[in-house]
Amino acid sequence: MAQTPTTPLPPDGDWLGTPYLRFERQGPIAVCTIDRPEARNALTPAMYFGIRYAVGLVNGDPGLAGLLITGTGDVFAPGGDMTGGGGADDWITFGAALGMDVTPFDAVRTSAKPIVAAVNGLCQGGGMQIALCSDVSVVSERATFRVPELFRGYADTYYSQMLLRLVGPVRTRDLMFTGRVLTAAEALDWGLVTRVVPHDDLLATARDLLAQSCRTAPRARNVIKSSIDSYLGLYDRIGMTGSLLDAEAREGVRAFKERRSPDWVHPELRTQGRL
């Protein structure tokens, strides 16, 4: 006789389909916490999809007014897990997921209800894209930001499109071609985040700003969101998909796993460890 599961699964309850995401209701506000400390919060395809599912869950629930996304420890999110880890949660490998629409970025960017990213620490790759797509990004003074995709062998045209609009071509080239690390203060100065606060004040400030955003008139707010979305524009999805399937991307993932420079790097420019 089959046993009744003790944990509800989608579409019932607030289970997001992975043990590495927590969904908590705090009155009218939902909090989605990225919680995979053993892998520094690296996002599996299931985690990416779970965040997307959380956005839909909030938008479809009249009892919830908005969503706050945050991480644990000293990491918000470093992007996708390229190591193939994840155990039982790794129901799709990173490589197989490249051609699937599991990422949450557009869902976050176009959410009818406000979304605030509370960036508690290291934020790069897909994690930084989540912060950029959120309506408001509140950042700990300890947070750092990086766009490492070109070191992994693929052209992230979503990043190039958004960064061009947000910070212009000069700074976009700086971020994407050098893979430099930005401090929280630099990210604020460049206009990539909404505000920087003391680490211990992060969640309280994020909740306050989310509550303020939720008090605005929904239909009027979404007219403004639509105009902002039009300004940010569409990215080259076809070009990005082709790049993700290219030999450079395969070599970039191999090099990342093997903690070495990819073979396209001139021998005299290779470094110890990952780029």
Side-chain angles (χ1 to χ4, degrees), residues 45-126:
M47 293 167 71
Y48 269 137
F49 187 81
I51 295 170
R52 180 174 172 173
Y53 182 82
V55 175
L57 185 61
V58 169
N59 281 318
D61 191 329
L64 293 171
L67 175 65
L68 188 153
I69 303 173
T70 193
T72 51
D74 61 351
V75 178
F76 177 71
D81 184 355
M82 301 176 71
T83 67
D89 178 61
D90 194 22
W91 52 279
I92 315 173
T93 65
F94 182 79
L98 295 180
M100 299 178 64
D101 194 10
V102 301
T103 56
F105 312 130
D106 285 344
V108 171
R109 174 174 159 179
T110 61
S111 172
K113 294 182 181 179
I115 296 179
V116 170
V119 181
N120 53 296
L122 184 148
C123 181
Q124 66 178 34

Side-chain angles (χ1 to χ4, degrees), residues 92-168:
I92 315 173
T93 65
F94 182 79
L98 295 180
M100 299 178 64
D101 194 10
V102 301
T103 56
F105 312 130
D106 285 344
V108 171
R109 174 174 159 179
T110 61
S111 172
K113 294 182 181 179
I115 296 179
V116 170
V119 181
N120 53 296
L122 184 148
C123 181
Q124 66 178 34
M128 185 170 166
Q129 191 68 272
I130 290 170
L132 292 179
C133 288
S134 296
D135 295 304
V136 175
S137 51
V138 186
V139 175
S140 162
E141 60 195 344
R142 303 177 188 174
T144 59
F145 300 85
R146 187 177 183 231
V147 184
E149 276 73 5
L150 286 177
F151 292 104
R152 311 293 174 244
Y154 62 93
D156 193 320
T157 57
Y158 205 143
Y159 256 125
S160 60
Q161 176 69 27
M162 288 201 72
L163 289 173
L164 278 171
R165 290 294 195 181
L166 294 172
V167 301

Side-chain angles (χ1 to χ4, degrees), residues 12 37 66 73 75 79 87 160 205 209 227 237-238:
D12 301 315
V75 178
S160 60
T205 303
L209 289 179
S227 65
R237 192 162 188 156
I238 294 174

